[in-house]
Amino acid sequence: MSDLSRRGFLGAAAAVTGTAVVGAALPATDAQASAKPAEESRPHGDLRDIKHVVILMQENRSFDHYFGSLKGVRGFGDRATITLPGGLSVFQQPTTPPGTAVTSTQFPWHLSDAPASAYPAGHQPSSSEVGAQGYGGTSHSWDDQHGAWFGGLMNGWVFAKGGPTTLGYLDRTDIPFHYALADAYTVGDAYHCSVLSATGPNRTYLWSGTIDAQQRFSSFVAFNGGDELGKNLLWEPYAETLQKAGISWRVYQGADDFGDTGVEYFKNFAQFDPAQGGTPAPGNPLYDNGVANVPEPLTGLTANADNLANAVRADVVAGTLPQVSWVVTNQAFSEHPDGAPNDGAYYINGILQALNADPDVFNSTLVIIDYDENDGQFDHVPPAVPSPGTKDEFFFEGSGALKNAGLTQPMPVGLGFRVPLILISPWTRGGWVTSEVSDHTSVIQFLEKWTEALGAPAVCPNISAWRRNVCGDLTGALDFTSPVFGLPKLPKTAVIGDPAGGSYRPPVTTNAMPAQESGTKPARSLPYQPNANLDGFTFGSNGAVQAKLSFSNSGPHVRKASHFAVYNNIEPDQSLRDYPAKFPGQYTVDPSDTIWNTTVPGTLEIGAGSGDGAYDLTVIGPNRFLRHFTGDVNAAGVTAQVEAAYYQARFGPKPKLVLELTNGGESSVTFTVASNNYSKAQPKTYHVSARGRATHVVDPLASSNGWYDLSVTVSGDNSWSRRYTGHLEDGRNSITG
């Protein structure tokens, strides 16, 4: 059953036709775009310059689905990707179930490529674009989201989601407004939904920081479903935390909010909600600000979006816009399939124009646009998940499809897959990318930092220690030294409306790797410095071989944990019965400001008891970090060793990539270091005598904006290779890879 059906949505969208209507809210004029704020709105040069935060959580779109082809982000052009069991690219998804023979595959495909005539007879759209805008979405429950993730192997997308629609994507020609926002402001390409599940749990995370997987408050875990209405959740939502801190707040919503007002899931708010059997209580701030609806005098196709925008505009003009606002629309404008993305653009544009009714308000506001979950739409980046047993981060669903597939262990709550994030403000202007790992708790963590700066700290009591360690607080995406004020000109928006008679089903037209727009974007600095090495092997008496790994996250600017996942690429495709033992290892490494004794060990069995010593290991981390180690412990290269480091002896003024090449054998070995990308330097060879060593040093910060991608091979063993890919951080802004 779809998310839409679960919510029992019976609103006006059912009567909408496919006729396009020009949006009432037009782009800003030149005068508006150049308007300057009053001096009192920018006196501090820090978080205190933000007077208002407006949060627009939209629905059900993955990052690759929307922005995989956008210039400069981690999209279809990503070279630091995992491979699937059997050696396929993560972009080339099997159409057969995991653990069975792969007989066919499918790449991401452009939803609007098929002509209208190719659609099923009797339900053909007026154009290819209308068909792509009104496609029907895919499954996105706890079971099938975990089924697509498949223990971290990422090879279950088509099987779990019911077909190739999971791989459909949109590009600049389809969603020009969204691309214009990304080009003008800041897009996050490492922002994840919080739960490998549906809308309800993810909105619960946005509003409260947890789904209570540890059952601290009751036996109910909010792990699944389109909403949590009627559940009367018992822990404190963040709106109450703001209320206690004296921070003004409001939820702008209409009578039809599609069940998306997450604050109403909680008992202290549900008691005032007539739709849940509650009694309205005008004068009570929880009712007035969290349950009551905005005035809705307008009717018709655009009414929900226009009424919300007009309510925001009225408060802007009256000077009563609260410090924190959540704006919640209905299905038609939420971008939930089959709600057209361009209809969402109409709604977003209306809110931006409403804020700009007083340019001083717009120029002192941060607008956060994020998406609750990915629907069932594909994303290629494996999300960070904690190691088994991490507090408040694992849950066993004892009756669903995962259990029927043989799963006997709790599964991670999240992080979920990547979803779009756009940060709109004077301090995020300029087409930037932030690649700091984040999730919906990052919005709360930002509000915590901001309210602390205002002298009224509102600290959420629910966010797990693991999420606080791994997920950023969004502050690194803002630059208060050089704000750009005014609302830029944006593309005009129009309303398509929901498809008459049900969603369209665009047919697949292509099966080839899609292209990404060429070029880079400016990138914000990141608060970690991941590193990983293959340190050698241990050999058991029964023929078992264990690879010894080490992970670190050290640097003078490092202040957040780095998450690593380790893949055994020649391990046979697994059944969930083997989770977690035979699935990718998950390691979270705390930040360190010293290079001494900061490594975390890891191990991986290879060729256990089989006599086959071949290995093929991939380690991934944040911001395109990748290590790839291949070889055979029974071949000559077993005595060759490479250790990657960023500093020698102690921290210097900036990091470099240092490769220590060691020959532990009795014969000389020739190492060859070659650049795969980012550098045109010629390969360099090192003839290393028995028991000798050599050092290869490169300076990516000086030559390639911090990016590196090198491979090392050795003479006499074609199976042996090492690849080192990533970005060196020095606390300064850079460009994307």
Side-chain angles (χ1 to χ4, degrees), residues 534 537 539 543-547 568 570 605-617 629-635 638 717 719-720:
L534 173 58
F537 305 90
F539 299 87
V545 181
Q546 196 171 68
N568 186 349
I570 56 177
E605 288 190 358
I606 60 172
S610 68
D612 180 3
Y615 60 90
D616 185 332
L617 312 177
F629 309 118
T630 70
D632 190 323
V633 298
N634 298 317
V638 69
D717 187 349
S719 71
W720 190 101

Side-chain angles (χ1 to χ4, degrees), residues 15 42 48 59 75 162 242 288 309 317 396 404 440 468 494 541 543 575 638 662 671 692:
R42 45 174 175 148
R48 291 171 293 174
E59 282 262 12
L242 293 172
D288 291 343
V317 172
F396 179 65
N404 294 336
H440 300 328
R468 286 195 180 277
S541 58
S575 161
V638 69
T662 303
F671 292 84

Side-chain angles (χ1 to χ4, degrees), residues 269-353:
F269 290 82
Q271 65 181 326
F272 303 126
D273 181 12
Q276 299 182 77
T279 302
N284 184 300
L286 301 189
Y287 172 78
D288 291 343
N289 298 327
V291 179
N293 298 323
V294 302
E296 298 185 277
L298 302 177
T299 60
L301 182 65
T302 65
N304 182 274
D306 292 342
N307 285 324
L308 290 170
N310 287 341
V312 172
R313 183 187 299 268
D315 285 350
V316 167
V317 172
T320 56
L321 184 73
Q323 291 168 284
V324 179
S325 304
W326 292 269
V327 190
V328 184
T329 186
N330 65 2
Q331 180 270 336
F333 294 98
S334 70
E335 302 172 51
H336 182 291
D338 50 13
N342 284 352
D343 295 1
Y346 174 92
Y347 155 68
I348 292 170
N349 190 41
I351 300 299
L352 296 180
Q353 297 292 344

Side-chain angles (χ1 to χ4, degrees), residues 182-245:
D183 289 342
Y185 288 101
T186 295
V187 62
D189 68 355
Y191 184 88
H192 296 255
C193 55
S194 289
V195 191
L196 284 160
S197 190
T199 285
N202 280 292
R203 288 188 174 257
T204 300
Y205 254 103
L206 177 77
W207 256 279
S208 73
T210 187
I211 58 169
D212 196 25
Q214 63 182 326
Q215 298 177 303
R216 173 184 168 193
F217 297 94
S218 73
S219 61
F220 177 73
V221 176
F223 75 97
N224 203 10
D227 58 55
E228 304 298 347
L229 294 171
K231 303 300 184 182
N232 293 305
L233 304 181
L234 296 176
W235 57 95
E236 180 175 282
Y238 194 65
E240 280 194 89
T241 309
L242 293 172
Q243 182 75 26
K244 292 176 180 178

